[in-house]
Amino acid sequence: MDRRDTAGVGAIATIPALLTDRAERFGEVFAISGPEGRLTYTELAERAARVTRAAMSSGIEPGDRVGIWAPNSARWVVTALGLLGAGATVVPISTRLTGVEAADMLARSHTRALFTVRGFLGYDYPRMLAETGRELPDLARTIVASDADSWSSFLESASATTVEEARARAAAVDPDDISDILFTSGTTGAPKGVLATHRQTLAVFSGWADAVTLRQGDRYLLVNPFSHTFGYKAGIIASLLRAATMVPVPRFETDLVLDLIEQERITMIAGAPTLFTDLLHRDRTRHDLSSLRLAGTGGATVPTELVERIRTDLGVPQVFTAYGLTESIGVVSVCPPDAPADLVATTAGKALPGTEIRLVDRTGNPVPLGDPGEITVRGANVMRGYLDDPEATAATIDTDGWLHTGDIGTLDAAGYLRITGRLKEMFIVGGFNAYPAEIEQTLLRHPGIQDVAVVGIPDSRLGEVGRAVVVPTDPAAADAAAILDWARSRLAGYKVPREVVFTNALPRNPGGKVLKSQLRDPR
């Protein structure tokens, strides 16, 4: 039975209202499970409400920005939902950032309070922040959620605010209030803060949940960082929308993930292609993975063979891919989980309902069907703008409301989108446009290539040529000349890379995207 709509949101348009509804309608369903324990939706709402009261008692006002610099956990979920109930704007910060980078985001977002931890992977985030020496005049309070005294002291302040006052504050949150500021990966410059509202977040991820078939009763392993849209919105928010059970994982560890799939009877897992590659390379015979029904990936080039192996070797019958960016509230299109493997691997699927996709040339005019062009998007999944940067906002969202993604793609007659590269990553070989993603997709069919990224490098005669940075399946047998010979029979001459460089792993950001700026000088 298709249960996608049984947890529909109807007219609900704020995240606090959604949580209240879930507690009322699915109160005994487990909202969170895993090594930290279990919380029903009723218990999740109660704990979030206490955070709301404590935030109000601490002086957090509607619209105040509050940072969370911590790994995935049940407490992260409770804290974020409680802050949203207080009318605050959540500012998630990646645990991979340095103190200097985190301080910059806190300063630029004028963050009033920060929730963070000590001890994750040996890091002491409060100390890292203090050691920067940067003054943060807006930051009035830091709560160390991993410190029992600090966390308890914060929660005890809830007594100064009544339950009724907290309910009134949550009810006063407007659908068009800014719910969060998520920073871009910074792969093409300094990270920018992206403003998103409650209304558009719920609308976009309700559509996403329908497209990927997430449903009530699913048990969703949340591996992707909550500081990223893939973890926070396609994880926490989507789970709330469908009253699914969340199983947060602080970081990806192959054996731990395999254990949790068996112990928690996980039905859905999503992550970068490398996550599934790592699972496939482990001995899985000791684990019962039969509960898995749905897997999602994206954020990088996906080999067709990987989709096939997820379905056959991991036994996950449904696999989907998706395309999106922070500026599009995380998602633009989805390739449905029942599509053929080659379609899942080589396309980003079709636009979400209510989303328009148009491909344009450098002058902004639409390109003919099938021709490559910059992907522009219009709909609910267009950000409200960049934080305190009207010029960058105007350069990204045109006067007709189209978001210019900077990605190059093609659309076929059936509406399937293919990503061929970044506008800024495209390189020109003797006057011909070469698109890295297209070349990467071909190279990934080579049996000796496990992972690959292609970048343009200067050439005295042709202007630019391609460099393929390859993770070989067998380092001892890696043969650059053989790879180039193989590529010449499958790619036009100008698309064939002029050199192959081998590496153990490609550098990636938390969302799984390759940091290509680091590949142009790999030595």
Side-chain angles (χ1 to χ4, degrees):
M1 181 177 67
D2 187 347
R3 295 180 291 172
R4 286 179 294 173
D5 297 328
T6 61
V9 297
I12 297 171
T14 73
I15 297 168
L18 177 64
L19 178 59
T20 298
D21 177 83
R22 278 3 189 189
E24 292 173 351
R25 295 178 58 194
F26 303 96
E28 298 307 308
V29 172
F30 284 118
I32 298 177
S33 188
E36 296 177 272
R38 296 180 178 181
L39 292 176
T40 64
Y41 271 97
T42 294
E43 292 167 334
L44 175 60
E46 289 171 349
R47 295 201 184 188
R50 192 175 182 193
V51 171
T52 297
R53 293 167 61 201
M56 292 171 65
S57 300
S58 300
I60 299 298
E61 298 291 339
D64 282 350
R65 283 82 179 262
V66 181
I68 306 179
W69 192 16
N72 293 10
S73 68
R75 188 162 289 178
W76 202 109
V77 178
V78 168
T79 300
L81 294 176
L83 292 171
L84 291 167
T89 297
V90 173
V91 184
I93 298 173
S94 171
T95 55
R96 296 190 181 190
L97 297 186
T98 65
V100 171
E101 292 169 317
D104 180 63
M105 290 180 178
L106 294 171
R108 289 165 54 197
S109 58
H110 303 284
T111 294
R112 293 268 298 147
L114 172 67
F115 290 80
T116 188
V117 299
R118 292 190 175 96
F120 177 63
L121 300 180
Y123 292 111
D124 184 330
Y125 294 116
R127 186 179 69 187
M128 289 167 60
L129 203 58
E131 288 175 347
T132 68
R134 180 160 183 172
E135 292 187 11
L136 298 170
D138 297 305
L139 187 60
R141 184 173 183 182
T142 296
I143 298 93
V144 183
S146 60
D147 184 321
D149 290 337
S150 180
W151 181 248
S152 296
S153 175
F154 168 71
L155 290 183
E156 286 168 3
S157 68
S159 60
T161 299
T162 67
V163 172
E164 290 71 22
E165 288 171 326
R167 286 175 179 165
R169 174 73 72 88
V173 174
D174 189 273
D176 294 318
D177 286 344
I178 302 299
S179 58
D180 49 77
I181 301 172
L182 284 159
F183 280 85
T184 61
S185 61
T187 54
T188 58
K192 298 182 181 69
V194 172
L195 308 177
T197 70
H198 288 260
R199 187 196 304 277
Q200 62 187 157
T201 294
L202 296 186
V204 169
F205 281 92
S206 183
W208 179 89
D210 280 347
V212 307
T213 73
L214 181 68
R215 61 198 187 196
Q216 198 273 312
D218 272 329
R219 300 175 65 82
Y220 187 175
L221 193 69
L222 302 183
V223 179
N224 299 295
F226 291 163
S227 56
H228 187 272
T229 55
F230 207 176
Y232 171 40
K233 297 193 177 183
I236 297 171
I237 301 302
S239 295
L240 284 173
L241 283 162
R242 293 298 174 264
T245 300
M246 299 172 256
V247 183
V249 180
R251 71 182 182 117
F252 177 72
E253 296 178 62
T254 310
D255 292 333
L256 171 63
V257 165
L258 288 170
D259 288 342
L260 285 173
I261 292 172
E262 179 174 12
Q263 294 164 9
E264 295 291 334
R265 307 304 296 155
I266 297 299
T267 62
M268 177 175 175
I269 182 171
T274 50
L275 179 151
F276 295 100
T277 300
D278 287 349
L279 292 178
L280 286 163
H281 284 171
R282 277 290 197 278
D283 177 10
R284 302 175 303 281
T285 58
R286 296 182 295 105
H287 298 87
D288 178 3
L289 309 182
S290 61
S291 59
L292 287 172
R293 74 165 189 91
L294 183 61
T297 190
T301 305
V302 180
T304 300
E305 182 190 15
L306 179 61
V307 176
E308 293 171 340
R309 290 196 64 197
I310 293 172
R311 286 176 170 169
T312 57
D313 296 4
L314 283 183
V316 187
Q318 297 180 304
V319 183
F320 69 88
T321 48
Y323 162 70
L325 54 159
T326 311
E327 290 90 338
S328 71
I329 320 300
V331 61
V332 169
S333 62
V334 173
C335 194
D338 58 355
D342 61 338
L343 204 60
V344 173
T346 61
T347 81
K350 296 183 178 182
L352 287 183
T355 296
E356 298 176 78
I357 297 176
R358 184 178 68 171
L359 304 187
V360 300
D361 60 23
R362 290 183 180 274
T363 64
N365 293 313
V367 301
L369 189 68
D371 283 4
E374 183 186 8
I375 301 165
T376 64
V377 178
R378 188 165 64 179
N381 49 352
V382 174
M383 65 174 178
R384 282 303 173 93
Y386 288 121
L387 174 66
D388 298 331
D389 198 340
E391 290 185 4
T393 300
T396 304
I397 304 173
D398 65 29
T399 54
D400 292 324
W402 291 95
L403 171 71
H404 290 249
T405 67
D407 290 320
I408 299 294
T410 62
L411 273 174
D412 64 21
Y416 281 90
L417 177 67
R418 284 174 168 79
I419 313 300
T420 56
R422 287 284 297 170
L423 188 61
K424 293 181 179 179
E425 290 174 359
M426 182 194 78
F427 54 96
I428 302 175
V429 183
F432 293 94
N433 293 345
Y435 299 101
E438 177 189 7
I439 301 169
E440 290 161 0
Q441 192 66 244
T442 298
L443 292 176
L444 278 169
R445 300 189 189 115
H446 189 287
I449 296 178
Q450 176 181 319
D451 205 358
V452 62
V454 173
V455 295
I457 56 174
D459 181 81
S460 58
R461 186 173 70 87
L462 296 172
E464 291 178 289
V465 294
R467 166 188 286 157
V469 183
V470 169
V471 178
T473 52
D474 180 3
D479 186 334
I483 288 174
L484 292 176
D485 284 343
W486 180 92
R488 289 187 187 99
S489 66
R490 292 163 174 83
L491 289 167
Y494 70 91
K495 297 179 185 178
V496 176
R498 292 304 184 270
E499 65 176 56
V500 172
V501 176
F502 293 107
T503 185
N504 293 326
L506 297 176
R508 296 180 182 275
N509 68 16
K513 292 185 178 180
V514 176
L515 301 172
K516 291 197 172 182
S517 60
Q518 298 181 19
L519 300 181
R520 291 180 175 86
D521 184 14
R523 295 177 178 83

